[in-house]
Amino acid sequence: MASSNGWFESAAMLTSLSAPEKILPPEVLRHRISKDLSGPVTAKLNPPPGMRCSEPGVMKNPGPFLFKGIDTTTFSALPSQEDLDLIERYKQGVINSVSALHLFAKIHHLQLELKETSVAGGVIRPYFAFCAVINGVCYNTGLGKNKKESKLNAAKLALAELLNLENTGAKSSEGSDFPCVPAELRPPANSVCVSRTGGEHIYQKLSQTLEEVFNRLTTEHPEYQSCGSSLAAFIIEKGGHHEVVALGTGECNYSRRFESCGRLLHDSHAIVTARRSLLRYLYRHLLLFYNKNAAKAERSIFCTAPGSKLLTLKQNITLSLYMNQLPKGTAQLKSEVHLGPQSISAYEASEELSLHVALEGRIYLAVCCPRKTVRVSSMSAGDKLAKWEVVGLQGALLSHFIKPMYISNILVGNGSCKDTKGLDITIKQRLDDELVSKLPVPYLVNRSHIYLVKAALPIQTDLNQWSLSLNWTLSDASLEVVDGLSGKTTESSPFRSGTCLASRLCKAAMFSRFSMLAREAGRDDLLQFATYHEAKIKSQLYQEAKSLLQSYLEEHSYGSWIVKSPHIEQFSD
């Protein structure tokens, strides 16, 4: 039955996998595709006995550099909450050692450089050596079979000393097996279903839970069952308990001319729809947090972040993303494609890795699409997922209230996917640690754990339902069905917000929620924003992080991010 209540739902309704090796940016790729790298390749390289050392990844004599202890007056105090959060993310493998060291330097306003050095005697060796230099102090030298691995080891050793991780049993996210000699070469890293302790069994069970939730929602509307092929969903984990909180389906985007009303959905691909459904869930919990009833406020997933005016997720709450299919773009890169020695030209390699644009459900290279287009186009779902790994899921509006929210785990159904190499390239290997050093705190380059799990729903092709997109958020009574090509709710949708058929996920609806939240939170400063566009632009740290990401991708020849005209966001609440 259609609802006349508009977009709003009352708040009262709410009752170590090691990171694989990164790829060199396209402009420095001299080679491209190596097809027979599925088997392990090993190469043990042993240095002279005099070069070996008892401490993993360290050379005792770094040549021209002198090791000095850091000024004890600087870090003798108890670690701050930011330090503790950093240590926890590092120990859990969310960020690798280079990212962690850059963040540590930013928190404490230190000058950091990862400096290439040489082995004793200046003898050329088949490995690289780097050390971390912090405020002029050189730390132990890390070795590696390439520059990336030696930087990781150097950062790991600096962190071990700075954060006293040797005494806490901390483990780095990259899990380098490099001792004091070059490491055994590992085969190409296909992110397979390798989990943290007990994780695999839990995530396999989640597929069944997702199937049950989707079947329940479509029981009275079996005509939408085939839409589940593209299902994406967000799952909240609280203290070992998992709950599906938002889902979406869809495989196309809006195909008409720009309009400035804010009431049309431009991108209805599954993970984009699921993420916007998640935003509705976040708004509800933020309204709970600011509720004057203490019992209701306690039920919110948010708490005040230590030392900050912003909110953050409560401890032991994590977020996972399930995808029944790989997102479009580079994520669908064929598994036999590997970038390595003796491959083909850099230009062709860059096409495999470049940004992609979605137009009417089809995917094109971003370099083939003008930055400002008359007809709406969106970045591919895979590229948007990579963006969320940097700026978070919360978007510009919610960044006025909460810290960046990152995905902990990405689960991919095995219905049409045999491995997740392309996804790994999309969200991890294109983004180098160089970007981390530029991002404003608290933004970072997140490294979600990737699992291949049993598909929740079968892969079906139904041309009659091809343009339809379903959305649902926990506590919704029914699904909303959107025609992705028109950007509006269908006449037959179980939920409709009114006669204009604007979706509950559209930008105008989100701006209305933003304004309501600002009133509940007593944020009069946010109520001064006249338009949706102004509210987004005034989220300065978020915009800075987004701009740095886009510049990084363009500078490394991955292509330009499509920039839509601000005109389409000049609407008010």
Side-chain angles (χ1 to χ4, degrees), residues 166-182:
E166 293 169 321
N167 297 330
T168 62
K171 297 180 180 178
S172 64
S173 63
E174 65 272 3
S176 171
D177 57 0
F178 193 87
C180 64
V181 298

Side-chain angles (χ1 to χ4, degrees), residues 74-142:
T74 306
F75 302 108
S76 58
L78 291 174
S80 67
Q81 184 61 46
E82 283 184 304
D83 286 329
L84 294 175
D85 291 343
L86 170 63
I87 292 171
E88 187 62 26
R89 293 179 72 81
Y90 174 50
K91 289 170 68 175
Q92 290 180 353
V94 176
I95 55 177
N96 64 26
S97 58
V98 173
S99 300
L101 188 60
H102 276 295
L103 287 171
F104 179 86
K106 287 181 114 174
I107 290 169
H108 294 281
H109 309 290
L110 304 171
Q111 293 292 325
L112 167 65
E113 182 182 6
L114 287 171
K115 196 173 187 73
E116 188 167 13
T117 181
S118 58
V119 300
V123 180
I124 297 175
R125 301 288 176 186
Y127 42 81
F128 295 85
F130 274 79
C131 69
V133 182
I134 302 177
N135 281 9
V137 176
C138 301
Y139 285 78
N140 288 342
T141 299

Side-chain angles (χ1 to χ4, degrees), residues 353-396:
L353 303 176
S354 74
L355 298 173
H356 290 76
V357 173
L359 184 62
E360 297 182 9
R362 297 181 178 88
I363 296 297
Y364 303 89
L365 290 171
V367 294
C368 301
C369 185
R371 295 190 66 171
K372 293 183 178 180
T373 56
V374 176
R375 298 172 72 193
V376 172
S377 58
S378 303
M379 300 308 297
S380 71
D383 291 331
K384 287 188 175 182
L385 182 56
K387 171 187 170 183
W388 302 336
E389 289 287 88
V390 176
V391 301
L393 291 161
Q394 74 291 337

Side-chain angles (χ1 to χ4, degrees), residues 271-282:
I271 66 168
V272 178
T273 301
R275 181 249 176 186
R276 294 187 73 83
S277 298
L278 174 69
L279 293 181
R280 294 178 59 233
Y281 175 82
L282 299 181

Side-chain angles (χ1 to χ4, degrees), residues 10 120 202 221 241 271 287 345 361 375 380 398 454 459 482:
S10 169
I202 293 172
H221 307 280
H241 173 69
I271 66 168
L287 287 170
S345 75
R375 298 172 72 193
S380 71
L398 282 184
K454 179 183 176 183
I459 306 299
V482 172

Side-chain angles (χ1 to χ4, degrees), residues 203-265:
Y203 298 139
Q204 297 290 357
K205 287 180 65 177
L206 280 178
S207 298
Q208 181 179 347
T209 302
L210 284 162
E211 180 183 20
E212 292 170 355
V213 170
F214 187 79
N215 287 341
R216 174 173 55 81
L217 291 170
T218 56
T219 296
E220 297 181 10
H221 307 280
E223 66 271 24
Y224 302 127
Q225 187 71 37
S226 63
C227 294
S229 293
S230 60
L231 176 71
F234 283 98
I235 301 139
I236 289 281
E237 180 181 355
K238 305 181 206 174
H241 173 69
H242 294 82
E243 187 170 39
V244 180
V245 299
L247 63 78
T249 73
E251 298 187 68
C252 70
N253 58 327
Y254 182 68
S255 63
R256 302 176 187 176
R257 290 180 177 269
F258 287 117
E259 292 186 26
S260 58
C261 61
R263 288 166 171 77
L264 300 174
L265 289 184

